[in-house]
Amino acid sequence: MALVLLLLQIPAVAILLSRLLRGPTRHPPLQPQKPSPELLGKVSIVVPTLNEAERIGPCLASLSQQSYEVREVLVVDSRSQDGTPDLVKRAGQADPRFRLLTDDPLPPGWVGRPWALHTGFIESSEQSDWVLGVDADTYLNPGLVSSLVKTAIAEGYDILSLAPQFILKYPGELWLQPALLMTLVYRFGPAGETNNSVERVMANGQCFLSRRSVLAALGGYSSARNSFCDDVTLARHAAAQGAKVGFFDGSKLLKVRMYEGAAETWREWGRSLDLKDAAARGQIWGDLWLLAAVQGLPIPLTLILLSWISLGMGSLPVVAALSLNLGLLVMRIGLLWAIAPSYDLTQAKAAWLFWLSPLADPLAVLRIFLSSTQTSIQWRGRSYTQA
């Protein structure tokens, strides 16, 4: 049995190390930058909304703080029933760059978010060279848009998105959310990795910048119309067409309060973390094997192997398997320290639970497995069934 475990885990560990060891050469975190005259009016921002009244306020305020590089902010609402449009109209009274749009009824084959983004792209000014998609749960630090556009221009990126700093508050999410985030790190490496193949390209739709010309060539968001991870689907489609796509650390530029508590984190974030809409079936199952081998199994296997040794079953394969899994646990704790800057715990209750998040790893891997096999999805009052 110990030999079987070693055969299962050693190749996965080798793959993981090959990804993580590229971390020191990754692109450094982006810093806020001041705009310069050549950026005047070059960016259209699109914000898709559906019943976001409880959390869109900070986002609207932060968008108003962006400088003259922003030509317009198009908030595309999907007939919210909670007063979201009123908040947008109020923001528009203070900042004329805001414009409220209502998208048409959802066409067959489209998911709500990419449809709203597609509507915003179509309605945006052709005088803008860049289109920036922003989610309603985000807070943009001053200088974000300028930094993003200047980096894209200087380094030749056609699409550039940012990994945020996550705001965590409640005990359950403090324990679970970092373990779910780690599933992305294990599969795709850290944000800022610049050498991923097309099938390993990552993106984040919470802050997703694209050249307008590239979006036009791709048919807007139509290539991701039926995807629940439309950001990654669109980014990989663009990369396959020859676009240069980047995914950088934006923890100094962007904050996000995604979900309230562990239950919502499990239910809502888990719906898209598997990225099955953007990957071939073989890649999905390969990722599940890797996650099980290097993240899901080390804690239970360590306990089992220690019990075997205590019972006098300490053969060489058992000791080797135990050493391997203890090494994976040490690596996991080190990675927790590495991702700590990606979290804002200033509002957290029982912040110490963040440091116990490795104990949630088996649950996080289980969530990815369940999501990978799920076909019926509900989101914000809408029901979808994937073929």
Side-chain angles (χ1 to χ4, degrees):
M1 179 61 72
L3 285 173
V4 171
L5 291 175
L6 288 171
L7 291 174
L8 171 71
Q9 289 185 288
I10 287 176
V13 172
I15 293 172
L16 176 63
L17 289 175
S18 71
R19 293 170 182 167
L20 297 181
L21 289 176
R22 297 201 301 265
T25 63
R26 71 189 183 107
H27 196 286
L30 296 193
Q31 304 288 335
Q33 294 191 43
K34 294 181 179 180
S36 47
E38 70 274 10
L39 296 183
L40 177 64
K42 294 298 184 181
V43 182
S44 291
I45 296 178
V46 179
V47 185
T49 60
L50 175 57
N51 297 327
E52 302 283 2
E54 292 186 359
R55 54 183 180 174
I56 196 174
C59 177
L60 297 176
S62 69
L63 288 170
S64 286
Q65 293 175 3
Q66 302 303 309
S67 192
Y68 54 73
E69 69 274 20
V70 177
R71 173 182 296 275
E72 58 188 353
V73 179
L74 307 178
V75 181
V76 184
D77 189 69
S78 299
R79 296 170 178 80
S80 296
Q81 302 299 313
D82 66 346
T84 298
D86 294 333
L87 293 175
V88 177
K89 292 175 183 177
R90 195 175 305 153
Q93 293 173 354
D95 189 335
R97 294 178 296 178
F98 283 91
R99 182 152 59 103
L100 176 65
L101 305 173
T102 301
D103 56 8
D104 291 332
L106 196 62
W110 281 80
V111 172
R113 186 177 183 278
W115 174 243
L117 289 166
H118 187 73
T119 300
F121 163 66
I122 292 174
E123 294 293 332
S124 64
S125 171
E126 293 185 358
Q127 294 180 312
S128 294
D129 293 341
W130 300 88
V131 177
L132 174 61
V134 172
D135 278 1
D137 57 6
T138 59
Y139 181 89
L140 287 65
N141 289 339
L144 179 148
V145 177
S146 179
S147 176
L148 201 56
V149 174
K150 284 186 173 183
T151 301
I153 293 174
E155 302 185 25
Y157 284 95
D158 301 300
I159 291 176
L160 188 57
S161 62
L162 297 180
Q165 186 179 59
F166 297 95
I167 301 171
L168 299 184
K169 293 183 180 181
Y170 302 118
E173 67 192 69
L174 282 159
W175 182 68
L176 177 62
Q177 202 270 6
L180 289 169
L181 178 65
M182 194 59 66
T183 67
L184 295 174
V185 176
Y186 277 12
R187 284 179 285 169
F188 306 108
E193 171 58 54
T194 57
N195 295 312
N196 276 335
S197 57
V198 170
E199 65 273 11
R200 293 290 160 188
V201 163
M202 272 298 293
N204 178 23
Q206 292 167 325
C207 185
F208 188 102
L209 179 75
S210 177
R211 292 184 189 272
R212 182 179 182 83
S213 59
V214 170
L215 269 184
L218 294 173
Y221 291 80
S222 59
S223 62
R225 59 185 175 273
N226 61 351
S227 175
F228 289 91
C229 56
D230 55 273
D231 44 9
V232 179
T233 300
L234 182 64
R236 291 180 181 177
H237 180 69
Q241 303 302 312
K244 186 176 180 181
V245 180
F247 175 57
F248 291 169
D249 184 343
S251 59
K252 299 184 182 300
L253 295 173
L254 180 71
K255 291 188 178 184
V256 58
R257 174 71 181 147
M258 290 178 65
Y259 304 117
E260 299 292 328
E264 193 176 32
T265 300
W266 172 274
R267 182 177 65 252
E268 303 296 357
W269 203 21
R271 71 189 170 91
S272 59
L273 270 180
D274 58 83
L275 306 183
K276 61 178 177 289
D277 297 341
R281 180 57 55 179
Q283 180 181 343
I284 294 169
W285 285 104
D287 284 347
L288 287 173
W289 157 69
L290 182 136
L291 289 177
V294 299
Q295 187 178 1
L297 290 178
I299 289 178
L301 285 182
T302 296
L303 296 175
I304 292 171
L305 293 166
L306 283 172
S307 69
W308 287 0
I309 291 176
S310 69
L311 295 173
M313 301 168 60
S315 64
L316 180 59
V318 170
V319 173
L322 177 61
S323 299
L324 179 64
N325 282 279
L326 286 173
L328 285 169
L329 292 178
V330 171
M331 181 189 304
R332 175 65 174 85
I333 294 170
L335 287 171
L336 187 61
W337 282 94
I339 68 169
S342 297
Y343 288 92
D344 180 347
L345 305 181
T346 57
Q347 305 175 57
K349 301 176 181 178
W352 55 271
L353 284 169
F354 170 83
W355 302 104
L356 297 183
S357 64
L359 297 176
D361 280 0
L363 277 178
V365 175
L366 173 63
R367 186 63 184 93
I368 302 302
F369 174 81
L370 293 175
S371 185
S372 296
T373 57
Q374 185 181 38
T375 56
S376 181
I377 298 179
Q378 290 187 338
W379 174 238
R380 296 296 173 89
R382 286 171 166 164
S383 298
Y384 305 93
T385 300
Q386 291 180 309

